[in-house]
Amino acid sequence: MILEAVMLIVKPDLQSDFEAVFKKASKIISSMDGYLSHELHRCIEVQGKYLLLVRWESLESHTVGFRGSTKYQEWKKLLHHFYEPFPTVEHFEQIEI
């Protein structure tokens, strides 16, 4: 399992619109092969800041399967205009502790 982590900064005064559109976009990502789950968290201290966590079966499920799909183009069209600056996407693997 791979965890995708993305810190999203949404443009001022667009948070409500972003959250509503994200609910629609959630149907896109959750339909992808290799998708396991996702969560969106709103920051308490910083208005307009969100943390998106997506669990994938593999790195390729996200970087090739999702990003290479026509559904990703729809995802981009729905969401990418909300972000300033454009977010950095990072992937993590769990370690045994």
Side-chain angles (χ1 to χ4, degrees):
M1 189 272 301
I2 296 296
L3 179 65
E4 170 193 354
V6 189
M7 195 67 65
L8 304 170
I9 307 298
V10 174
K11 295 174 185 174
D13 302 319
L14 295 179
Q15 291 87 15
S16 294
D17 292 342
F18 167 71
E19 291 178 20
V21 172
F22 193 89
K23 287 180 185 179
K24 295 176 186 176
S26 289
K27 294 175 185 173
I28 296 170
I29 198 168
S30 63
S31 72
M32 297 304 302
D33 288 339
Y35 163 88
L36 298 173
S37 67
H38 73 285
E39 309 167 4
L40 182 65
H41 300 262
R42 183 186 316 119
C43 184
I44 295 169
E45 292 84 10
V46 180
Q47 186 176 4
K49 187 175 189 178
Y50 295 81
L51 174 62
L52 172 61
L53 301 172
V54 185
R55 288 170 183 82
W56 297 97
E57 289 177 3
S58 67
L59 180 62
E60 292 75 20
S61 295
H62 177 231
T63 59
V64 178
F66 180 52
R67 286 205 175 155
S69 72
T70 56
K71 290 183 179 183
Y72 179 67
Q73 299 307 314
E74 186 179 346
W75 169 274
K76 280 175 49 173
K77 186 176 180 180
L78 286 172
L79 295 173
H80 284 194
H81 67 280
F82 285 108
Y83 309 138
E84 185 63 46
F86 194 76
T88 299
V89 176
E90 298 176 302
H91 299 92
F92 297 84
E93 57 187 354
Q94 188 172 0
I95 58 169
E96 297 296 324
I97 54 172

